């Protein structure tokens, strides 16, 4: 039982790392595009706000337990 | 108080009455006095003298709250180094002088270089707490230092943890600095001005301009009101304010400072703002707060690069402002 719980915890941690790596990869891949758009846009804040919305979704996906209380 | 203890008070030549700005003399009854008759107690903590130079009438609610926060048992500063404060301080300085610093400390290290201090210089730290940044600066460049804080227990801690006699600490109000005009070559203050309230912040900036010599420099890090896209603000928005508000140390948004407000106050006080660098956007704050800085330096630099679209527009949880006093 104890071993099983430990395995589950490790699997959850590995999954979080995997998700984090994926989010970071997407961030790195899109960073030059975001920077370029923000430079050229009439309202850079709109681009940054859009990026922030995507980051909120990523945070929810990364650690859903963190936001559970608010969702209930 | 013995003459030997007073002799060790190296900063006495620049200490002044915070009310009249008259020079202070020290008597055998452990008091500092100015000629119009203001008296301030002088204490000795483990052989290190320090004066309590607060202005009695200056106490306000915000100030008392801040003092209570930093003197409470919940204060992380009180918990840090508990047991052997001197060893904690030595380790803190050694890590940073070897370049092993958190991302924000690297920002401070760059600011130290910009102050252009020598062994003959004297620097002031406002809100020095246990004196860690002033001691680090003094260890880096060999300058003398005076630290002031409104918390007496913080100053007692600073006196106990002091690694060398190049630094001294006194209890004082930031808006009534007990120092002579033009006596400081540099001023540093990190994570302090956002606690003052805007009215006191304006007064403190004028005091900074007064005690800086012409050509002197100042580096301050303050929590910013321009934090819309930072991790803190994102979490706050996602949880209806439940998470992401760092209120444990007396932080309140209305006291935070916007970079443009800082610029206008500095200009009005007679200081030139040489640069403002926003920091702690989204990912850099994530590393410092969620991963506690335990990540390779290369990854931190990559995350700093990811935050550039934010910090280039001065969006950050805080900003480092470097100023100089016109010559």
């Amino acid at each position: 039982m104890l071993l099983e719980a430990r395995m589950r915890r490790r699997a959850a941690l590995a999954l979080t790392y995997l998700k984090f790596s994926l989010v970071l990869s997407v961030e790195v891949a899109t960073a030059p595009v975001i920077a370029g758009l923000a430079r050229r846009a009439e309202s850079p804040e709109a681009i940054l706000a859009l990026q922030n919305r995507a980051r909120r979704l990523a945070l929810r996906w990364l650690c859903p337990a963190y936001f559970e209380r608010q969702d209930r | 108080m013995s003459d030997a203890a007073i002799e060790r008070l190296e900063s006495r030549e620049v200490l002044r009455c915070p009310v009249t700005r008259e020079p202070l003399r020290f008597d055998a009854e452990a008091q500092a006095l100015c000629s119009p008759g203001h008296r301030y107690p002088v204490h000795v903590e483990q052989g290190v003298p320090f004066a309590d130079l607060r202005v009695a009438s200056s106490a306000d609610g915000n100030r008392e709250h801040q003092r209570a926060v930093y003197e409470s048992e919940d204060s992380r500063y009180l918990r840090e180094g508990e047991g052997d404060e001197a060893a904690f301080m030595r380790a803190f300085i050694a890590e940073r002088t070897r370049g092993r610093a958190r991302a924000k400390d690297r920002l401070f290290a760059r600011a130290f270089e910009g102050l252009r201090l020598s062994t003959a210089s004297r620097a002031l730290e406002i809100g020095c707490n246990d004196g860690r940044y002033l001691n680090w600066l003094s260890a880096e460049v060999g300058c003398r230092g005076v630290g002031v804080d409104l918390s007496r227990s913080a100053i007692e801690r600073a006196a106990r943890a002091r690694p060398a006699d190049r630094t001294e600490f006194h209890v004082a109000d930031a808006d009534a600095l007990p120092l002579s005009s033009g006596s400081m070559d540099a001023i540093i203050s990190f994570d302090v001005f956002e606690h003052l309230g805007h009215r006191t912040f304006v007064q403190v900036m004028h005091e900074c301009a007064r005690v800086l010599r012409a050509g002197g420099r100042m580096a301050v890090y303050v929590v910013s009101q321009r934090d819309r896209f930072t991790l803190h603000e994102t979490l706050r928005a996602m949880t209806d304010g439940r998470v992401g508000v760092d209120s444990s140390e007396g932080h309140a948004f209305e006291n935070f400072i916007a970079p443009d407000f800082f610029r206008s106050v500095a200009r009005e006080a007679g200081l030139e703002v040489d640069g403002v660098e926003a920091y702690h956007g989204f990912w850099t704050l994530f590393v410092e707060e969620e991963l506690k800085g335990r990540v390779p330096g290369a990854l931190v630099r990559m995350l700093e690069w990811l935050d550039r679209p934010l910090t280039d527009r001065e969006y950050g949880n805080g900003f480092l402002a470097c100023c100089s006093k016109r010559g």
Side-chain angles (χ1 to χ4, degrees):
Chain A
M1 284 282 276
L2 197 66
L3 196 66
E4 203 181 308
R6 196 178 297 168
M7 291 283 278
R8 259 206 302 273
R9 269 202 306 276
R10 282 189 183 171
L13 194 64
L15 185 66
T16 305
Y17 275 122
L18 199 68
K19 284 170 153 185
F20 181 64
S21 306
L22 192 65
V23 168
L24 214 52
S25 304
V26 173
E27 271 275 349
V28 172
T30 56
V33 181
I34 299 284
L37 285 174
R39 252 197 313 275
R40 276 185 223 114
E42 261 181 50
S43 167
E45 272 67 18
I47 306 293
L48 298 178
L50 201 65
Q51 184 190 40
N52 196 252
R53 284 178 78 102
R55 282 175 169 169
R56 288 185 195 191
L57 285 174
L59 279 181
R60 275 185 187 281
W61 180 64
L62 264 175
C63 33
Y66 204 68
F67 304 101
E68 262 172 16
R69 215 173 92 194
Q70 193 226 346
D71 291 342
R72 273 205 295 274
Chain B
M1 163 156 296
S2 69
D3 287 349
I6 295 296
E7 282 298 312
R8 285 199 297 275
L9 203 58
E10 194 269 340
S11 64
R12 67 186 187 281
E13 64 186 75
V14 294
L15 287 180
R16 294 289 181 273
C17 169
V19 180
T20 62
R21 293 179 188 158
E22 296 271 328
L24 293 167
R25 64 184 171 81
F26 296 84
D27 69 10
E29 289 166 15
Q31 287 188 111
L33 305 98
C34 73
S35 47
H38 295 102
R39 292 161 186 269
Y40 306 94
V42 180
H43 309 278
V44 179
E45 182 73 21
Q46 290 188 2
V48 180
F50 69 88
D52 188 338
L53 297 159
R54 282 174 294 182
V55 180
S57 61
S58 70
D60 60 36
N62 190 38
R63 206 172 304 222
E64 288 309 308
H65 174 66
Q66 292 303 329
R67 198 196 326 273
V69 165
Y70 285 96
E71 293 191 346
S72 84
E73 287 175 8
D74 293 336
S75 165
R76 69 185 158 98
Y77 291 101
L78 270 177
R79 290 198 303 273
E80 278 177 347
E82 216 168 17
D84 194 342
E85 290 156 331
F88 171 81
M89 186 63 70
R90 280 195 301 273
F92 180 90
I93 295 164
E95 274 189 11
R96 277 146 191 85
T97 46
R98 281 189 219 122
R100 288 186 205 150
R102 293 188 316 159
K104 197 161 114 185
D105 289 346
R106 284 206 298 274
L107 193 71
F108 296 167
R110 281 209 303 278
F112 287 172
E113 283 171 28
L115 295 174
R116 297 183 203 160
L117 295 172
S118 69
T119 52
S121 308
R122 186 181 262 132
L124 164 71
E125 180 172 12
I126 296 175
C128 63
N129 208 295
D130 61 6
R132 61 185 67 178
Y133 290 113
L134 187 65
N135 286 327
W136 173 24
L137 173 67
S138 178
E140 284 279 356
V141 298
C143 66
R144 291 168 294 169
V146 181
V148 296
D149 200 289
L150 58 78
S151 158
R152 180 172 159 179
S153 64
I155 293 301
E156 286 170 351
R157 227 162 43 247
R160 288 195 296 269
R162 192 173 76 145
D165 57 7
R166 298 288 284 170
T167 51
E168 276 182 12
F169 303 93
H170 300 289
V171 186
D173 295 306
D175 56 352
L177 291 171
L179 296 161
S180 58
S181 302
S183 57
M184 293 292 143
D185 299 290
I187 297 176
I188 58 170
S189 186
F190 302 135
D191 287 310
V192 173
F193 287 12
E194 71 271 16
H195 295 283
L196 303 171
H198 284 182
R199 208 180 60 180
T200 310
F201 161 65
V202 173
Q203 290 165 347
V204 171
M205 288 294 279
H206 279 85
E207 275 294 86
C208 289
R210 179 183 68 80
V211 301
L212 262 185
R213 68 164 171 80
R217 288 161 187 269
M218 178 166 143
V220 294
Y221 185 87
V222 289
V223 174
S224 175
Q225 270 192 344
R226 205 167 154 84
D227 64 348
R228 193 172 144 204
F229 303 117
T230 63
L231 180 72
H232 276 178
E233 187 59 15
T234 303
L235 290 174
R236 195 197 63 76
M238 288 171 79
T239 60
D240 283 342
R242 184 168 55 82
V243 174
V245 179
D246 184 10
S247 57
S248 60
E249 287 172 4
H251 278 151
F253 183 79
E254 64 266 25
N255 292 341
F256 296 174
I257 294 162
D260 281 342
F261 179 54
F262 185 93
R263 284 189 184 92
S264 70
V265 173
R267 211 171 17 247
E268 192 195 308
L271 297 166
E272 223 158 85
V273 180
D274 302 320
V276 167
E277 192 175 346
Y279 201 70
H280 274 160
F282 189 91
W283 289 110
T284 39
L285 201 54
F286 185 89
V287 166
E288 295 246 324
E289 302 231 325
E290 305 302 321
L291 308 178
K292 308 293 176 207
R294 286 189 293 262
V295 287
L299 180 60
V300 173
R301 278 187 284 281
M302 188 185 81
L303 299 176
E304 283 174 345
W305 173 70
L306 285 176
D307 277 348
R308 284 291 295 275
L310 296 182
T311 52
D312 281 354
R313 282 162 190 80
E314 298 188 345
Y315 285 109
N317 200 51
F319 62 88
L320 178 81
C322 296
C323 312
S324 50
K325 186 173 173 181
R326 289 169 211 138

